[in-house]
Amino acid sequence: MVRTVEVPEYEEHGEVILDPEKTALVVIDMQNDFVKKGGTLVGPDTEATVPVMQGLLEEARSSGMRVVFSQDTHVAGDPEWEIWPAHCEEGSWGWEIVPELAPRKSETVIRKVRYDAFYGTHLDHFLRLWNVETLVLCGTVANVCVHYTAASAALRWYEVVIPRDAVSALSEFDLEASLRQTHFLFAGRITTAGGIRPEPRL
Ligand code: ZN
C-alpha cells in the first residue's frame, strides 16, 4: 500500500550565526561504505554532499571551531548487520573516512558502535571539556546516524543545527521526516551550508 503524506511546514533559517568558540562541527560517518562506489550501503546523493562538507570544514577550521568526526565501527557478527548489509568493518576500506574529508591530526575521531555518536563513546566528555554548546551536524545517513546523534545531543541540551544540503538519506521521505522532527521535536535549526556564519572574533 502506498500512502502519500504532505510534509508539514518547518522553518528553514537563511542564516545561523554561531560563536566558533562554543560550536563544534560534527561530521557523521562519511566513510567509504556509505559514500563511494563499491561501498555496501551507499546513499544515492551522499557523494554529492562531499564538496558541501569540504566547505563547512574549511569554514570551521579557519574560524577556530572544534571539528569532530564519527566513524561507524563494527566487527564480524555485529547484530546491526541483521538490519543492514555488513558495513564499516573495523580496519576495512569501507570503514575508512573518505579521503576528501580526512580528519587532521588535531581533530577528534569518535568510533561509534550504534547510530548515536554519544552512545558508549566519549563525545559528551570532550564537548563539555571544550565548553561547546552548539553542534553543527552533517554527514550520513540523515534519518539514522545524523538523526539519532541530533536526538541525543538535544536530550543533553546542546543546540542542534543541520545544514540540509550537507546531509543525505536513502529516500526523500526519510530526509524530510528527519529534518521535520529535528525542527519540531528537538527545537533544532535547519539551514543550508551557505547559511552557517561563524561570528567574526573581535
Ligand atoms: Zn552501522
Side-chain angles (χ1 to χ4, degrees):
M1 183 173 71
V2 175
R3 276 170 294 191
T4 305
V5 292
E6 269 181 39
V7 181
E9 279 290 317
Y10 59 86
E11 193 181 359
E12 188 178 309
H13 295 259
E15 68 173 12
V16 173
I17 296 168
L18 297 165
D19 177 352
E21 290 195 14
K22 294 184 175 162
T23 305
L25 175 68
V26 185
V27 181
I28 306 278
D29 295 7
M30 288 300 286
Q31 295 159 257
N32 290 323
D33 265 345
F34 296 126
V35 182
K36 295 286 184 184
K37 196 166 175 263
T40 58
L41 203 41
V42 180
D45 307 319
T46 308
E47 191 151 22
T49 61
V50 169
V52 183
M53 271 174 264
Q54 285 178 305
L56 283 172
L57 274 172
E58 205 177 295
E59 195 160 51
R61 286 165 175 161
S62 63
S63 69
M65 267 182 210
R66 296 282 182 174
V67 176
V68 179
F69 296 81
S70 76
Q71 187 172 25
D72 204 32
T73 301
H74 299 295
V75 291
D78 193 302
E80 210 178 271
W81 292 356
E82 287 166 29
I83 306 174
W84 302 98
H87 62 279
C88 299
E89 183 166 7
E90 188 167 2
S92 68
W93 168 82
W95 172 73
E96 289 168 15
I97 292 172
V98 298
E100 298 93 320
L101 304 173
R104 291 186 178 167
K105 276 215 168 70
S106 58
E107 295 167 346
T108 302
V109 179
I110 298 282
R111 292 185 185 182
K112 68 190 217 351
V113 294
R114 296 248 51 206
Y115 307 151
D116 172 4
F118 286 89
Y119 175 84
T121 75
H122 292 133
L123 179 57
D124 189 54
H125 169 81
F126 287 117
L127 296 174
R128 289 184 193 283
L129 276 185
W130 302 333
N131 296 313
V132 164
E133 294 173 1
T134 302
L135 303 186
V136 177
L137 298 173
C138 61
T140 205
V141 176
N143 61 305
V144 188
C145 295
V146 177
H147 191 82
Y148 282 87
T149 301
S152 205
L155 292 179
R156 293 170 168 84
W157 297 116
Y158 292 102
E159 294 258 4
V160 169
V161 178
I162 297 188
R164 60 176 301 136
D165 49 345
V167 295
S168 56
L170 298 173
S171 78
E172 208 181 339
F173 171 82
D174 291 340
L175 179 67
E176 289 295 342
S178 165
L179 293 176
R180 199 270 175 170
Q181 286 293 81
T182 294
H183 164 74
F184 171 69
L185 199 53
F186 313 150
R189 282 175 289 177
I190 309 303
T191 183
T192 58
I196 300 286
R197 300 246 190 283
E199 244 172 13
R201 289 192 184 180
L202 297 175

